[in-house]
Amino acid sequence: MTHSRWSARKEEGHSEAEAVVEVRQEIRLAMALAEAVYIRRTELGLTQAELAARAGLTQAKISRIEGSDAVPTLPLLANSHMRWMLH
């Protein structure tokens, strides 16, 4: 569907399915977390490998988080090893 066609449908009162809206929101949140992790890591002057060692993760996992390919679970975020983001 072209942008102009979608715009016309939207003006007619059609909207995206709620599931699509939810997926878009999840993607936005994953991207925001990825950006926050990257910014904080670089502020601290750490490589992905150094951050991984501090967080008890692998460098590949850090890469996936920063690339929005993986979203850490709440238990992982609550883990004391993740406190590096606060210091």
Side-chain angles (χ1 to χ4, degrees):
M1 178 179 303
T2 65
H3 184 284
S4 58
R5 191 168 158 208
W6 169 247
S7 295
R9 285 186 56 130
K10 193 172 182 181
E11 288 174 9
E12 294 170 2
H14 293 84
S15 62
E16 290 182 314
E18 188 164 331
V20 172
V21 172
E22 289 176 15
V23 168
R24 287 184 189 277
Q25 181 61 21
E26 288 176 15
I27 292 169
R28 283 188 199 98
L29 291 172
M31 291 176 73
L33 176 64
E35 182 179 23
V37 169
Y38 172 79
I39 288 171
R40 186 64 178 140
R41 177 179 65 78
T42 56
E43 284 175 349
L44 294 171
L46 300 173
T47 65
Q48 287 182 345
E50 291 167 333
L51 172 58
R54 285 188 181 194
L57 302 171
T58 64
Q59 180 276 326
K61 182 69 171 182
I62 297 297
S63 178
R64 286 193 302 273
I65 291 170
E66 287 186 358
S68 303
D69 296 329
V71 178
T73 62
L74 288 176
L76 177 63
L77 291 173
N79 184 322
S80 62
H81 293 293
M82 294 299 286
R83 296 186 194 279
W84 62 270
M85 289 189 74
L86 304 174
H87 302 293

